[in-house]
Amino acid sequence: MSEVRIAAEPRTEFGKGAARRTRRAGRVPAVLYGHGTDPQHISLPGHDLMLALKTPNVLLTIEGLSGGTELALPKDVQRDPIKGFLEHVDLLLVKRGEKVVVSLPIQLVGDVVAGGQVAQTEVEISVETEATHIPESVELDISGLEIDSQVLAKDLRLPSGTTLAADEDVLILQITDASVSAEREEPAEGAEAAGEGAEGEGEAPAE
């Protein structure tokens, strides 16, 4: 997994006005909590944090704290709904060797069987794993899966040291018949013709 060092500064002002001033200074308001400790209100460099958050479940080494360096995982990231810039981040304190529950993206590998197509219902899966050794993804090989076959959460091959935290019977994907799907998407010619005829019959005769 990726580990990024990032420098924190304490925050003593709160509210919307203070948050705007923090963001104008190129920093992002954040709260660091966990392990029964009091929440720590901090700010982080916006550009560095934005780059770090491009990696799912990135492990942050937070420096500059009053109690020394801490490890944390992003728990809740708030972005501006229009411009997309970071507004606020909640960070969860973790320790090396500690188990945490995170969501991992499901990465499909291999080619779908001829005549089939993938109908994926889940793009990520909840797992329990060590906080400092979080895998980047869960690979799912779809080669060899026949049409009408299904993959449930319990069928996934999880990385070493990782256990399933989701319902084992959750449907991840199924392989459907591509020709049947195409037929459902195309309107029947007979239905179109019948519709046109019905429109014609309902018209009043010209006077």
Side-chain angles (χ1 to χ4, degrees):
M1 68 176 297
S2 178
E3 185 171 341
V4 176
R5 290 185 172 272
I6 195 164
E9 292 181 1
R11 271 193 306 134
T12 56
E13 292 184 317
F14 307 101
K16 292 184 178 179
R20 283 195 293 268
R21 286 192 293 273
T22 298
R23 289 192 289 268
R24 280 200 297 268
R27 302 184 69 82
V28 177
V31 174
L32 183 64
Y33 65 94
H35 294 156
T37 62
D38 293 332
Q40 300 182 60
H41 298 274
I42 59 176
S43 70
L44 301 170
H47 181 69
D48 292 347
L49 183 60
M50 180 183 65
L51 292 177
L53 293 178
K54 289 184 177 182
T55 300
N57 300 310
V58 62
L59 181 66
L60 298 175
T61 301
I62 311 294
E63 301 176 330
L65 300 173
S66 58
T69 300
E70 296 278 9
L71 298 176
L73 290 172
K75 197 64 178 176
D76 183 47
V77 179
Q78 298 175 23
R79 299 178 183 270
D80 180 271
I82 298 175
K83 297 183 179 180
F85 61 79
L86 296 172
E87 292 188 323
H88 190 275
V89 177
D90 287 353
L91 302 170
L92 178 65
L93 284 168
V94 296
K95 294 187 181 299
R96 296 190 186 278
E98 179 183 3
K99 292 281 189 176
V100 293
V101 174
V102 296
S103 292
L104 298 183
I106 300 172
Q107 181 179 353
L108 303 186
V109 297
D111 298 320
V112 66
V113 65
Q117 66 179 14
V118 178
Q120 188 171 358
T121 54
E122 299 291 337
V123 296
E124 59 183 22
I125 192 69
S126 181
V127 301
E128 185 179 54
T129 188
E130 189 179 337
T132 54
H133 291 86
I134 299 176
E136 292 186 2
S137 63
V138 174
E139 284 194 356
L140 172 54
D141 189 354
I142 61 173
S143 57
L145 294 179
E146 300 295 333
I147 292 175
D148 293 332
S149 59
Q150 296 182 336
V151 176
L152 305 180
K154 63 184 177 184
D155 301 321
L156 294 173
R157 291 187 176 181
L158 300 178
S160 177
T162 301
T163 57
L164 188 66
D167 183 345
E168 63 178 16
D169 292 322
V170 168
L171 177 65
I172 304 300
L173 61 77
Q174 55 187 341
I175 306 299
T176 60
D177 189 329
S179 62
V180 172
S181 299
E183 289 175 2
R184 289 175 180 171
E185 292 175 0
E186 295 178 1
E189 293 181 2
E192 288 184 348
E196 292 173 359
E199 290 177 3
E201 291 174 3
E203 294 176 358
E207 294 182 355

